[in-house]
Amino acid sequence: MIVSASKAVGATTYPGRGIIVGKSADGKRAVLAYFIMGRSVNSRNRVFVQEAEGIRTQAFDPSKMEDPSLIIYWPVRAIDDKLIVTNGDQTDTIYNYVAKGATFADALRTREFEPDAPNFTPRVSAMATFSGGDFSLNMAILRAGDAQGSCCHRVFWEYEKVEAGKGYFLHTYLSDGSPIPSFTGDPETVAIDDGDAKAIADALWNGLNADNRVSLWVCTRDLKTGETESTIINANH
């Protein structure tokens, strides 16, 4: 029996940044979620901000911002019938490649893990493509191939269809640690309940470790009408 998404996100105190994409139990809506966690002042000093073309991260207190290079980016962008969700500026890389007719994988073959030794944080990405009242899903992780970060392992998954009541959860870290161990294996299969974006967001937020959670975004899309509903929860108000 697979566990609920809200239980899966709380299975470790520090999953890092995570993406969940699935379908509601009634099969009527796509459900997408992205969260960030943080331990340093710089990482925790962030909020999600909704924009017309997606969401972006922003410093909560600009005076405390140290290095924006890996923490300020667009986690979510939409293009045509696609919705891109990632944990870094590879969102823009995927967007730009798709805009010129290239693929999700083409874009990510030009990128690698983050240059934050000794953790070498993986880049995790997803893209949902909506068509004919349903959607397909691409996911990927770019992680260091060794402790020195001398090579990159790029792993891709393609899901032609997502079953009702199920989702896929891909996150950057297996658990807390020093250095922090990167996620390995396939995206975790999780149970997706019915409910609006706020109800799903509340359940996920309550599942995340309260000491480390920073921001969460959840979006639902009606597969028949295309109508979307989204919500954001920020630890910083």
Side-chain angles (χ1 to χ4, degrees):
M1 181 177 178
I2 61 175
V3 302
S4 67
S6 58
K7 186 173 182 179
V9 300
T12 173
T13 58
Y14 204 66
R17 286 166 276 170
I19 299 168
I20 299 170
V21 183
K23 188 182 290 183
S24 60
D26 61 12
K28 295 181 179 180
R29 288 163 294 122
V31 177
L32 301 96
Y34 176 65
F35 66 81
I36 59 175
M37 306 187 83
R39 299 185 302 179
S40 68
V41 171
N42 201 41
S43 291
R44 292 182 177 183
N45 181 36
R46 288 183 289 176
V47 292
F48 284 167
V49 177
Q50 182 79 51
E51 301 285 2
E53 59 269 43
I55 65 167
R56 60 182 174 85
T57 61
Q58 176 179 289
F60 176 65
D61 182 348
S63 69
K64 293 181 180 179
M65 177 60 64
E66 298 171 6
D67 178 8
S69 62
L70 295 177
I71 64 172
I72 301 300
Y73 55 92
W74 288 82
V76 179
R77 293 187 71 182
I79 178 170
D80 300 328
D81 58 351
K82 297 171 172 54
L83 192 60
I84 303 163
V85 185
T86 90
N87 73 323
D89 64 9
Q90 73 268 28
T91 305
D92 298 331
T93 306
I94 298 167
Y95 182 97
N96 292 334
Y97 268 68
V98 169
K100 63 183 183 182
T103 69
F104 176 83
D106 290 335
L108 291 173
R109 289 189 182 105
T110 70
R111 303 300 304 270
E112 61 176 25
F113 50 86
E114 295 183 353
D116 60 341
N119 296 317
F120 298 117
T121 299
R123 292 188 186 272
V124 293
S125 307
M127 184 174 74
T129 301
F130 299 92
S131 177
D134 210 336
F135 71 99
S136 59
L137 173 64
N138 293 86
M139 301 188 89
I141 187 169
L142 314 181
R143 59 184 173 232
D146 56 32
Q148 294 73 42
S150 65
C151 63
C152 182
H153 289 178
R154 298 178 180 87
V155 186
F156 299 90
W157 296 270
E158 295 182 2
Y159 303 93
E160 290 186 354
K161 189 174 182 179
V162 178
E163 293 180 56
K166 289 187 179 180
Y168 297 97
F169 175 33
L170 184 60
H171 46 105
T172 55
Y173 305 130
L174 285 176
S175 62
D176 211 333
S178 184
I180 314 173
S182 294
F183 180 87
T184 58
D186 293 334
E188 299 173 24
T189 303
V190 297
I192 304 292
D193 295 328
D194 287 327
D196 59 18
K198 184 180 185 306
I200 295 171
D202 286 342
L204 289 174
W205 186 253
N206 289 332
L208 289 166
N209 180 268
D211 293 331
N212 295 316
R213 64 192 182 191
V214 175
S215 293
L216 167 71
W217 163 86
V218 171
C219 173
T220 63
R221 173 172 170 142
D222 188 296
L223 293 172
K224 183 177 181 180
T225 67
E227 182 180 358
T228 62
E229 179 184 60
S230 65
T231 190
I232 288 173
I233 300 176
N234 290 310
N236 294 308
H237 300 289

